[in-house]
Amino acid sequence: MSTALLSSTYFGPIQWYQKLHRYDRVMLEQCDSFIKQTYRNRCVIATTQGLQALTIPIDRSPIAESDVSGGATTRISNHGKWRTEHWNALCSAYGDSPFFDYYVDDLRPFFELHWEYLYDFNLAITLKMCELLDIRPHIETTSTFVPPSATSDSAEQHITQLTTPEGPADDFRDAIRPKHPLPDPSFEPRPYYQVYQQKHGFLPNLSILDLLFNMGNESIFYL
């Protein structure tokens, strides 16, 4: 049985959902510490101006010692109007895409309801996206944190297989990231229709929302 070890994501990139679809089992990390500038609290979309990152603000206030159990206790900040801003950005960017209107009612609630924990919010999003994409991954959560394997030379880093309490797993936690991702021979982004392709050219590995809004029920064949 092939197993992938993934960090949770906020409307993660296509590469992340490819692993979700192709592996026999996926372990979602819930025991790590929160790391800035990752897909845990951001997604990247295409707009008329180019790429735009949508970032969920994190509550930095101290938590009770009894609550400390890793990334699953990272709280979403309710300050500001990030939900409205993110939703308006999606409407502006994808309002004219072929399938936006088809999925709008399924996705709008994520920008109206208040979730306390980022991990729970991301998991709910993941399950909804699997439903809309018509993929049926076997998802489990980690029970303990296993540090990533890393070479002394960052240029030689690559995706490795770890031995976890749940068995061997290909570790993509720090490989699938917005900046300087590790080489992944199993993922080669192929062009598909994008609203702004004539203006910007094809933009690879955007949020899964980009694929869904542009390709609809054909997204599963791309994955």
Side-chain angles (χ1 to χ4, degrees):
M1 175 182 290
S2 62
T3 302
L5 180 58
L6 301 173
S7 297
S8 73
T9 61
Y10 172 56
F11 291 110
I14 294 170
Q15 180 188 12
W16 192 88
Y17 277 88
Q18 182 216 44
K19 309 309 175 193
L20 208 64
H21 180 47
R22 293 191 178 185
Y23 274 76
D24 297 321
R25 181 177 66 162
V26 169
M27 302 298 302
L28 288 186
E29 181 64 77
Q30 67 169 348
C31 302
D32 59 345
S33 299
F34 178 75
I35 301 175
K36 296 180 180 179
Q37 298 184 350
T38 68
Y39 290 120
R40 290 168 177 81
N41 68 323
R42 73 170 57 187
C43 65
V44 180
I45 64 172
T47 73
T48 185
Q49 287 82 29
L51 298 179
Q52 179 179 354
L54 305 179
T55 304
I56 299 176
I58 300 304
D59 188 350
R60 299 296 184 181
S61 60
I63 59 177
E65 184 176 350
S66 60
D67 288 341
V68 177
S69 60
T73 58
T74 300
R75 287 187 169 91
I76 297 173
S77 174
N78 289 316
H79 296 294
K81 300 180 180 179
W82 70 266
R83 294 176 180 83
T84 300
E85 293 171 355
H86 287 200
W87 181 245
N88 288 343
L90 290 174
C91 291
S92 176
Y94 295 108
D96 293 330
S97 63
F99 295 95
F100 180 80
D101 290 340
Y102 186 80
Y103 296 112
V104 64
D105 290 338
D106 291 295
L107 298 172
R108 186 188 292 113
F110 290 108
F111 303 92
E112 295 176 338
L113 302 177
H114 286 216
W115 293 72
E116 182 175 6
Y117 294 109
L118 179 65
Y119 186 88
D120 295 338
F121 183 53
N122 287 345
L123 181 58
I125 288 173
T126 297
L127 297 177
K128 174 55 70 173
M129 294 305 298
C130 289
E131 175 188 332
L132 299 180
L133 294 164
D134 196 24
I135 63 176
R136 297 172 175 83
H138 178 80
I139 299 176
E140 300 178 22
T141 55
T142 59
S143 58
T144 188
F145 178 71
V146 177
S149 296
T151 62
S152 58
D153 183 353
S154 61
E156 296 179 357
Q157 287 184 352
H158 57 281
I159 296 166
T160 59
Q161 187 175 78
L162 295 180
T163 300
T164 73
E166 294 79 18
D170 292 336
D171 185 8
F172 293 96
R173 290 173 297 176
D174 293 327
I176 302 176
R177 54 195 183 195
K179 296 182 179 180
H180 310 298
L182 298 185
D184 181 4
S186 65
F187 178 71
E188 296 182 7
R190 292 171 293 139
Y192 57 88
Y193 170 81
Q194 292 178 326
V195 175
Y196 307 106
Q197 189 164 350
Q198 288 188 341
K199 185 174 183 180
H200 302 298
F202 176 69
L203 301 173
N205 204 26
L206 300 182
S207 167
I208 190 65
L209 291 173
D210 187 85
L211 180 66
L212 187 70
F213 290 149
N214 286 310
M215 298 298 291
N217 56 10
E218 293 187 6
S219 299
I220 188 174
F221 301 114
Y222 185 86
L223 294 177

